[in-house]
Amino acid sequence: MSALFEPLKLGNIQLNNRVVMAPLTRCRATEDNVPTELMATYYAQRADAGLIIAEATMVMPGNSAFYREPGIHSDEQVAGWRKITDAVHQNGGKIVLQLWHGGRACHPVLNDGKTPVAPSALSINGYVHTPQGKKDYVVPQALNTEDIPAIVKGFVKATINAKAAGFDGVEIHGANGYLIDEFLRDSANIRNDNYGGSLENRSRLLFEVLDGVINVWDSGNVGLRISPINSSNSMRDSDPEALTRYLAERLNDYQLAYFHVMRSDFLQKQQGDVLSVASHLYHGNLISNMGYDYAEANDAVGQGHVAAVAFGSAFIANPDLPYRFEHGLALASPNPKTFYTHDSQGYTDYPKAEEG
């Protein structure tokens, strides 16, 4: 049997295979950030993945960084997600929810004029798409120390809601230039209090969130994703290997379901081998992501470097990606023009191999 198709237990979550669907923002929720029936169809189509990591989902209101991304902070959102988890489970799949605070990537136009918050008053270089067109990112408000406990409580409440919505677990979003990642990396965090400076201080928010989350859901149902060298959203770190080393060693005490490491940079501006650092030091289930084909992923799992591999864009155009891998079939290519649109085109209309 191919290594990718061996079963795997991630903490309390039993997987049928090691082909993981990475979290992918697709903007198909309602304008009120409620998950839709269309999203239920989309995720159910991909239930053959060993694990689906659902898209970045707002833990608190007023922190939208995309137009029509989902939330998990209201009863209506919980009910919408429940339809999705039921559909995935009915098709034999497992699904966890990625919990997310957009930080300085949020925009006032998307949040009733509210200024975004971040560790420091440093803006992203670039623009965001809004219903009013492209808008430059704004300078965020630096969080006061006394405001941080409310952020932690937001993640805790979102975890309670995710459990009520029927998810198999949650993934804390510590990647890609959003709030937790902004605290972790020194390009976005120039604080001089207990949340800035040293690796211990910069990771303080992350571990406060983890402590709060595993207090309401066993650590075997909780994962974490990081991206130490991804430069999206104007991010970088002066020593990403040291950051990875610090996190991997501390996370060994948490017995998480998994540690999810994005090994490279979307924009190819930064280099580094953070995956080897994590693989060497982390004793639990390690998931890697970014740029894998079937052969490399199968080899990485077979050699024991990682427990599973997460695939992103390949799952967009190939709802039956594990089947195609297993049978050596060619992969369809996704249409980037429909990644962030709001209807079924380029979302639920990609055929499975036996349907094409």
Side-chain angles (χ1 to χ4, degrees):
M1 177 186 290
S2 166
L4 273 181
F5 289 94
E6 294 176 356
L8 172 65
K9 191 172 185 183
L10 296 179
N12 299 325
I13 309 170
Q14 181 66 50
L15 312 189
N16 293 328
N17 63 64
R18 299 168 186 239
V19 181
V20 174
M21 179 176 166
L24 297 160
T25 293
R26 302 303 309 276
C27 299
R28 262 67 177 193
T30 69
E31 293 183 2
D32 294 325
N33 311 108
V34 177
T36 61
E37 295 280 359
L38 185 64
M39 291 170 61
T41 299
Y42 168 78
Y43 282 113
Q45 288 174 340
R46 289 153 179 81
D48 287 342
L51 178 69
I52 293 172
I53 307 173
E55 63 208 272
T57 298
M58 288 187 292
V59 300
M60 303 168 68
N63 291 284
S64 175
F66 295 87
Y67 176 53
R68 292 178 59 172
E69 77 271 52
I72 189 66
H73 49 78
S74 74
D75 291 343
E76 189 178 6
Q77 291 164 350
V78 171
W81 276 119
R82 185 78 208 203
K83 294 177 182 178
I84 293 169
T85 61
D86 284 348
V88 170
H89 291 150
Q90 287 165 9
N91 282 272
K94 297 291 176 65
I95 182 169
V96 301
L97 183 63
Q98 189 183 63
L99 302 182
W100 169 68
H101 188 300
R104 67 180 185 175
C106 301
H107 196 281
V109 168
L110 300 174
N111 296 286
D112 297 323
K114 177 184 173 184
T115 300
V117 297
S120 302
L122 302 170
S123 64
I124 296 172
N125 294 321
Y127 58 84
V128 61
H129 292 278
T130 79
Q132 299 177 15
K134 295 178 182 179
K135 297 289 184 180
D136 290 338
Y137 285 107
V138 302
V139 177
Q141 176 183 337
L143 277 164
N144 294 320
T145 303
E146 56 268 26
D147 295 328
I148 291 177
I151 303 291
V152 176
K153 289 180 181 178
F155 276 90
V156 172
K157 178 59 176 175
T159 303
I160 294 170
N161 286 348
K163 197 172 184 179
F167 284 95
D168 297 291
V170 294
E171 177 181 276
I172 305 304
H173 196 340
N176 297 345
Y178 302 114
L179 186 67
I180 290 177
D181 191 30
E182 291 162 14
F183 273 88
L184 288 175
R185 290 201 268 174
D186 55 18
S187 68
N189 183 347
I190 57 172
R191 299 173 73 96
N192 56 13
D193 62 2
N194 288 339
Y195 291 88
S198 67
L199 286 170
E200 179 182 8
N201 284 351
R202 287 172 13 226
S203 65
R204 190 177 305 278
L205 174 62
L206 167 62
F207 285 102
E208 288 179 348
V209 167
L210 283 175
D211 288 339
V213 166
I214 66 176
N215 190 50
V216 297
W217 207 346
D218 187 86
S219 62
N221 297 88
V222 178
L224 167 68
R225 193 186 205 205
I226 65 167
S227 61
I229 58 174
N230 187 13
S231 60
S232 293
N233 288 326
S234 302
M235 294 295 293
R236 64 173 293 108
D237 191 81
S238 60
D239 194 342
E241 289 87 356
L243 174 59
T244 306
R245 185 179 307 113
Y246 179 82
L247 294 178
E249 290 177 334
R250 280 198 63 181
L251 288 169
N252 283 327
D253 295 332
Y254 278 76
Q255 298 183 321
L256 297 178
Y258 64 84
F259 182 27
H260 184 181
V261 176
M262 299 174 69
R263 65 174 180 168
S264 56
D265 180 4
F266 282 134
L267 305 179
Q268 302 303 314
K269 291 183 177 181
Q270 297 190 62
Q271 302 295 322
D273 187 4
V274 295
L275 183 60
S276 292
V277 173
S279 181
H280 178 67
L281 294 173
Y282 186 63
H283 301 155
N285 294 305
L286 182 65
I287 298 177
S288 183
N289 171 233
M290 298 186 76
Y292 285 88
D293 59 15
Y294 170 74
E296 186 186 10
N298 193 56
D299 184 64
V301 172
Q303 294 293 323
H305 300 311
V306 297
V309 174
F311 297 86
S313 60
F315 259 113
I316 292 177
N318 301 275
D320 56 346
L321 184 63
Y323 178 89
R324 293 183 188 235
F325 279 162
E326 190 172 17
H327 293 86
L329 302 178
L331 301 186
S333 297
N335 178 7
K337 293 181 180 179
T338 60
F339 281 179
Y340 306 112
T341 48
H342 311 303
D343 56 23
S344 63
Q345 184 179 3
Y347 189 59
T348 56
D349 58 353
Y350 289 106
K352 295 185 176 182
E354 63 269 25
E355 299 169 349

